Amino acid sequence: MRVIEADAVHAALPYPELIEALREAFRVGGEVPLRQHYSIPNPAGQDGMLLVMPAWQAGRHMGIKAVSVYPDNPRQGLPSVIGAYLLFDAQTGAPKAVIDGVALTLRRTACASALAAGYLARRDAGHLLLVGAGALAPHLARAHCAVRRYLKVSIWNRDPARAEALAASLRGQVNAAVRAVGDLEAAVAAADTISCATLSHEPLVQGAWLKPGAHLDLVGGFTPKMREADDAAVARAEIYVDTRSGALHEAGDLTQPLANGTITPEAVRGDLFDLVRDACPGRSGPQAVTLFKSVGYALEDLVAAELVAESTP
């Protein structure tokens, strides 16, 4: 059984190739039980969380990802999300590889957002805003730039120094002018695509700020208590999700507006299965505001792990 480290994972998963692999996976489907969450008490800070995510495709592979989420880790120089992926042969049950779970998660999460944006962001979108400058942000920038020709990439973060550092590192990696910004309202109002990857429990993006035609990509929140956009943003948007089973039960950006009556479940127009199978239309027109909410789906991990195992000696 091989152990595949982070550098090899990143090398094996170029954004365009992984986006296309995810498109095919959502077209074909697989078996994905509901993932399990376990709260882990942490006397030294915010509680942690353990997520266990299995998936399989009969006759091919099966796998399970175990990921911990500790929001205070960056203070110790550690990523908030740490984990590993165990890939098995689905015909024999034999384990094939242990794969770095952080690198796998970063790549597949960014590429799932970019896959959705390929259907939902305006084709002439020219300005991408990243809200959050954590480990996922550079991958979101590069993945989104693989599906649209952005001329500008702006970065906002609560800590301006982190936004500046990310902007400096991205220059030359994307074919766009990259800069850090300090005024979130002005940045949202100017952007065509806004991609949020934070662990916020309070809404950051307000619906009143979004310009007609904007696409809002909400990645960070994965529990009912987490929010990145307010009710007004949700109410005015055409809503899409990675999966209904996950997003409508786990994502505070949707569960809270559902609970207070801002939206109903019928407000969700489609998921990634619908988009890639042409079962829903995507954005209704150039002035529509679209919203994609993802909480992560184990089929994405499985597909990425297969690519890594197949292309890594």
Side-chain angles (χ1 to χ4, degrees), residues 121 125-128 144-145 148-153 175-176 192-193:
H127 186 180
L128 170 67
H144 277 287
C145 286
R148 290 291 184 268
R149 293 185 177 181
Y150 292 105
L151 302 177
K152 300 178 183 178
V153 175
N175 191 25
D192 299 303
T193 299

Side-chain angles (χ1 to χ4, degrees), residues 36-125:
Q36 299 298 309
H37 299 71
Y38 303 96
S39 181
I40 310 299
N42 180 20
Q46 294 186 62
D47 288 351
M49 180 173 290
L50 176 65
L51 289 79
V52 181
M53 303 172 63
W56 60 88
Q57 290 176 315
R60 297 189 60 184
H61 292 97
M62 61 182 178
I64 187 167
K65 186 172 76 172
V67 172
S68 64
V69 183
Y70 277 69
D72 292 335
N73 273 4
R75 299 176 186 174
Q76 306 176 54
L78 297 171
S80 300
V81 180
I82 304 176
Y85 195 89
L86 181 57
L87 183 68
F88 299 84
D89 186 308
Q91 297 186 67
T92 66
K96 297 184 67 174
V98 177
I99 301 170
D100 184 273
V102 175
L104 195 78
T105 300
L106 293 173
R107 289 271 169 165
R108 66 81 154 153
T109 302
C111 287
S113 281
L115 174 63
Y119 295 94
L120 302 176
R122 284 175 52 135
R123 294 199 174 276
D124 61 353

Side-chain angles (χ1 to χ4, degrees), residues 7-273:
D7 288 347
V9 173
H10 287 301
L13 297 175
Y15 302 101
E17 286 84 347
L18 182 51
I19 291 167
E20 291 309 311
L22 292 175
R23 192 191 315 276
E24 178 63 12
F26 278 97
R27 188 186 68 79
V28 174
E31 297 296 324
V32 183
L34 191 65
R35 69 183 180 187
Q36 299 298 309
H37 299 71
Y38 303 96
S39 181
I40 310 299
N42 180 20
Q46 294 186 62
D47 288 351
M49 180 173 290
L50 176 65
L51 289 79
V52 181
M53 303 172 63
W56 60 88
Q57 290 176 315
R60 297 189 60 184
H61 292 97
M62 61 182 178
I64 187 167
K65 186 172 76 172
V67 172
S68 64
V69 183
Y70 277 69
D72 292 335
N73 273 4
R75 299 176 186 174
Q76 306 176 54
L78 297 171
S80 300
V81 180
I82 304 176
Y85 195 89
L86 181 57
L87 183 68
F88 299 84
D89 186 308
Q91 297 186 67
T92 66
K96 297 184 67 174
V98 177
I99 301 170
D100 184 273
V102 175
L104 195 78
T105 300
L106 293 173
R107 289 271 169 165
R108 66 81 154 153
T109 302
C111 287
S113 281
L115 174 63
Y119 295 94
L120 302 176
R122 284 175 52 135
R123 294 199 174 276
D124 61 353
H127 186 180
L128 170 67
L129 169 65
L130 302 177
V131 178
L136 181 56
H139 298 282
L140 285 166
R142 293 190 287 263
H144 277 287
C145 286
V147 298
R148 290 291 184 268
R149 293 185 177 181
Y150 292 105
L151 302 177
K152 300 178 183 178
V153 175
S154 299
I155 304 165
W156 179 89
N157 193 68
R158 284 192 175 97
D159 181 351
R162 293 190 68 182
E164 292 284 359
L166 177 57
S169 70
L170 280 175
R171 293 184 185 113
Q173 295 186 21
V174 295
N175 191 25
V178 185
R179 67 182 185 125
V181 296
D183 186 335
L184 180 58
E185 179 179 352
V188 169
D192 299 303
T193 299
I194 303 101
S195 185
C196 302
T198 74
L199 296 177
S200 178
H201 283 69
E202 299 295 333
L204 297 169
V205 174
Q206 297 185 25
W209 300 347
L210 297 165
K211 70 179 183 180
H215 172 56
L216 181 57
D217 174 43
L218 303 178
V219 184
F222 58 91
T223 74
K225 295 182 179 180
M226 302 172 79
R227 290 294 298 266
E228 294 186 300
D230 70 358
D231 285 353
V234 177
R236 70 177 294 198
E238 298 176 350
I239 302 170
Y240 299 82
V241 296
D242 52 356
T243 66
R244 287 180 171 85
S245 60
L248 289 175
H249 294 90
E250 299 177 8
D253 283 298
L254 297 182
T255 61
Q256 293 182 34
L258 283 166
N260 65 30
T262 298
I263 59 171
T264 65
E266 291 71 30
V268 177
R269 295 162 60 95
D271 59 17
L272 280 176
F273 292 102

Side-chain angles (χ1 to χ4, degrees), residues 270-296:
D271 59 17
L272 280 176
F273 292 102
D274 297 323
L275 287 169
V276 304
R277 296 171 182 175
D278 295 323
C280 66
R283 69 164 42 245
S284 63
Q287 299 302 301
V289 171
T290 55
L291 184 156
F292 176 69
K293 178 57 200 159
S294 62
V295 292

